[in-house]
Amino acid sequence: MRIITGSARGCRLKTPKGQDTRPTADRVKESLFNILGSLVAGRHVLDIFAGTGNLGLEALSRGASKAVFVDQATAPLIRENAIHTKLLTASEIHGGDVFASLARLAKTHRSFDLVFCDPPYHKGLWQRALQVFDTTELLAHDGILVVEHGADESELPPLSGLVCVENRRYGHTTQLSFFQWRSYVEEDDA
């Protein structure tokens, strides 16, 4: 696994041993960042269930201004990868439970332009995370929330403010779903 482009282009990222972390495949990551295009530069990024830090570090390499990483098991590894890519100064790394970290970030009125959510598949974590973002102001008004989930996991939880604006399937295993605030989408359509 490597950084595809930008200031850290070609840097290989360390990955944890074992099968507990499932990094985003390079082809899925490349497609994701092609979709996002110029929407990355200057943005404040939140990468939850961050694993290796792959997505947030790619965003920083492409010009995002700041990235907050949250992962209970791999915070030290994310730090190593941020140092290796020379992106540590723009990184804020939180260990501990993702949902407790989201609650703390919401209490301090943090807001993010771009959110990556890549939890383990088939555990209901992405649906639970969606509900947190739907009921807080963690996602900026014009922000984008990208969820990576299993190709066979399509049932959305009840949402009052967020809407899925795009969904892409990659093979038989992975989907990317893009969410924005309904009010922003309606403004954009007007």
Side-chain angles (χ1 to χ4, degrees), residues 37 162 185:
L162 291 175
V185 172

Side-chain angles (χ1 to χ4, degrees), residues 23 32 54 62 72 86 95 97 120 132 144 154 159 170 179 190:
L32 166 61
N54 185 18
R62 292 172 182 248
Q72 185 166 356
K86 297 179 175 44
D97 180 74
V132 169
I144 299 170
S154 296
L159 301 172
Y170 298 89
F179 294 85

